[in-house]
C-alpha cells in the first residue's frame, strides 16, 4: 500500500515507534510506567517518612518550668526542731479541767513569715513559770550516790536524777504513788488489772552495758571472790546491753553497786507510768528514726522514742530483763485478793517459788507492749536476757505512812 501524504507517514512512523518502546520497556501491573518528566516515587512504607508539621495554635498555653522554692534557713538549735506528721498520732489529748503545773504547759507558735509552712513551728514555755522545787535538806541519799542537780527536784524535794558512783550509771526518780498493773483483756498471766501503791524508787536509765559488766567482773576476779560468768554476748561492742547473764550474777552485780533488782511492779510502773500506757511512749504507734524490729538488739539509748514518762530508756525494745520476783502464772489474781479499798499496797510477788527456779522476766520479743511478762530459769538464762537495777527509798521524806500488808504466800 502506498501513502501519498508524507505527513500521514510521519504520524504512523511515530505511532509505531511508541508501541515498540512500550513493548521493549515492559508494561505490567507490577511495574508502573514511569514517565520521563516525573520524578520516581518514594516508598511510603519506609520509617523515614515524616508527618507534616502542624503549627501550634495560638490558644494553646506553653508549659512553664517549675522553679523549686528555696527552703528558708531556720534559726535555732536543729536538735530542738521536729516535724509534725499528720498521719501518725503519737500523742494523747487530756480532758479539759485537768489541773496542770505551770512547768508542764507549753505553747505552739507558728512563724509569721509566709514562706514558712505549718510543719515548722517552735515550742515556747509558759511565761508564768512556777518556782522550781527546792531540795529537801532532811533527805539523804545512801553512800555512793549523788544528786544530778541540774536535773532539778521533785515536788517533795527529791532529786529527779542521781548518779551511782560505783558504776557511773544515771538513775531516774519514780515517785511514790499508785499505778496500773496488768491488763483487763490480755494474756492469762497478765490479768486481772489492778491498782497498786508503791514507795518512791530510782531506776537505771539504761540497761547494764557490757562495759559496766566487764569492769565489775574484772574487780571480782581481782578480789579472788566468786567469779561471775561472762556475758553471752561478750564479743559485742561495749555499749550493748550485757545479755545471757544469770539471775544470780545480776543480783550480785546490783548488791555490789549498793542497788537491787527491780520488782516487776516497779519495772512496769517505770515503763507504763501512772496511767498504765500500752507502751513507754503512750498508746500510739512507735516512731523510730530507722528500722527497728522486736527482739532487735542495739547500743543502749539508740532509739529516743523508746522512753517512758519518767525518762527510762529501752523498756519496750532491746534486752529482756530480770526482775526479783518468783514467777507465777496466777500472781496477779493472788495480788488482787490482798487489795484494800481497791488498792494493793506493798505487794512484791510470791514469797517462795511456785515453779522451781523460775524468776520473772520483763520485756517482749514479739511486740512493744510493756505489760507482758514471762518466767525464765534463773540458772540457765536465755541469750537475750539482761538487767537493770533500782535503788529503793522506803523511807522517802513526806511519804505517806502505809501499813504494808503481808505478801501473799502461794
Amino acid at each position: 500500500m502506498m501513502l501519498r501524504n508524507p505527513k500521514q507517514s510521519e504520524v504512523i512512523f511515530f505511532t509505531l515507534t511508541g508501541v515498540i518502546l512500550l513493548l521493549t520497556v515492559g508494561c505490567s501491573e507490577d511495574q508502573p510506567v514511569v514517565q520521563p518528566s516525573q520524578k520516581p516515587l518514594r516508598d511510603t512504607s519506609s520509617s523515614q517518612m515524616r508527618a507534616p508539621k502542624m503549627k501550634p495554635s495560638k490558644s494553646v498555653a506553653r508549659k512553664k518550668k517549675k522553679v523549686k522554692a528555696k527552703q528558708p534557713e531556720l534559726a535555732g538549735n536543729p536538735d530542738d526542731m521536729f516535724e509534725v506528721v499528720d498521719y501518725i498520732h503519737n500523742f494523747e489529748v487530756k480532758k479539759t479541767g485537768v489541773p496542770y503545773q505551770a512547768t508542764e504547759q507549753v505553747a505552739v507558735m507558728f512563724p509569721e513569715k509566709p514562706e514558712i509552712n505549718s510543719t515548722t513551728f517552735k515550742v515556747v514555755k509558759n511565761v508564768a513559770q512556777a518556782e522550781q522545787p527546792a531540795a529537801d535538806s532532811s533527805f539523804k541519799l545512801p553512800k555512793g550516790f549523788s544528786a544530778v542537780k541540774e536535773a532539778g527536784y521533785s515536788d517533795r524535794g527529791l532529786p529527779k536524777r542521781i548518779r551511782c558512783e560505783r558504776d557511773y550509771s544515771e538513775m531516774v526518780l519514780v515517785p511514790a504513788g499508785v499505778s496500773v498493773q496488768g491488763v483487763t483483756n490480755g494474756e492469762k498471766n497478765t490479768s486481772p488489772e489492778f491498782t497498786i501503791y508503791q514507795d518512791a524508787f530510782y531506776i537505771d536509765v539504761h540497761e547494764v552495758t557490757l562495759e559496766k559488766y566487764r569492769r565489775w567482773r574484772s574487780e571480782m576476779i581481782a578480789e579472788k571472790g566468786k567469779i561471775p560468768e561472762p556475758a553471752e554476748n561478750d564479743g559485742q561492742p561495749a555499749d550493748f546491753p550485757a545479755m545471757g547473764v544469770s539471775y544470780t550474777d545480776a543480783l550480785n552485780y546490783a548488791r555490789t553497786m549498793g542497788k537491787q533488782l527491780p520488782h516487776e511492779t516497779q519495772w512496769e510502773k517505770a515503763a507504763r507510768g501512772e496511767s498504765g500506757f500500752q507502751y513507754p511512749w503512750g498508746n500510739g504507734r512507735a516512731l523510730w528514726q530507722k528500722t527497728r524490729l522486736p527482739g532487735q538488739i542495739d547500743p543502749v539509748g539508740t532509739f529516743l522514742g523508746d522512753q517512758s514518762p519518767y525518762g527510762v530508756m529501752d523498756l519496750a525494745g532491746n534486752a529482756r530483763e530480770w526482775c526479783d520476783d518468783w514467777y507465777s502464772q496466777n500472781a496477779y489474781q493472788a495480788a488482787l485478793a490482798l487489795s484494800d479499798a481497791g488498792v494493793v499496797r506493798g505487794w512484791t510477788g510470791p514469797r517462795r517459788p511456785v515453779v522451781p527456779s523460775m524468776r520473772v522476766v520483763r520485756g517482749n520479743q514479739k511486740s512493744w507492749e510493756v505489760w507482758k511478762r514471762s518466767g525464765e530459769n534463773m540458772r540457765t538464762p536465755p541469750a537475750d536476757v539482761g538487767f537493770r537495777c533500782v535503788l529503793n527509798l522506803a523511807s522517802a521524806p513526806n511519804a505517806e505512812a502505809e501499813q504494808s500488808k503481808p505478801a501473799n504466800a502461794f
Side-chain angles (χ1 to χ4, degrees), residues 136-209:
D136 188 335
S137 58
S138 64
F139 173 71
K140 303 295 182 185
L141 283 167
K143 186 178 180 181
F145 296 88
S146 58
V148 180
K149 296 180 180 180
E150 54 270 23
Y153 296 86
S154 70
D155 293 339
R156 293 183 175 179
L158 302 180
K160 291 182 178 180
R161 296 205 172 204
I162 63 173
R163 183 170 289 108
C164 176
E165 297 170 358
R166 285 295 308 274
D167 65 355
Y168 311 106
S169 61
E170 190 166 311
M171 309 181 77
V172 66
L173 173 68
V174 179
V178 296
S179 60
V180 176
Q181 187 81 13
V183 290
T184 303
N185 299 318
E187 298 167 3
K188 183 179 179 181
N189 67 343
T190 61
S191 61
E193 179 182 291
F194 63 95
T195 303
I196 184 170
Y197 175 89
Q198 299 180 85
D199 290 322
F201 62 93
Y202 288 94
I203 186 168
D204 288 343
V205 173
H206 299 292
E207 298 151 316
V208 174
T209 61

Side-chain angles (χ1 to χ4, degrees), residues 383-395:
D384 66 336
V385 175
F387 67 101
R388 72 179 75 215
C389 306
V390 298
L391 176 65
N392 291 309
L393 298 177
S395 58

Side-chain angles (χ1 to χ4, degrees), residues 357-370:
S357 301
M358 295 289 282
R359 294 280 183 175
V360 173
V361 169
R362 299 305 299 259
N364 190 29
Q365 295 173 313
K366 299 180 180 180
S367 62
W368 307 120
E369 289 92 352
V370 286

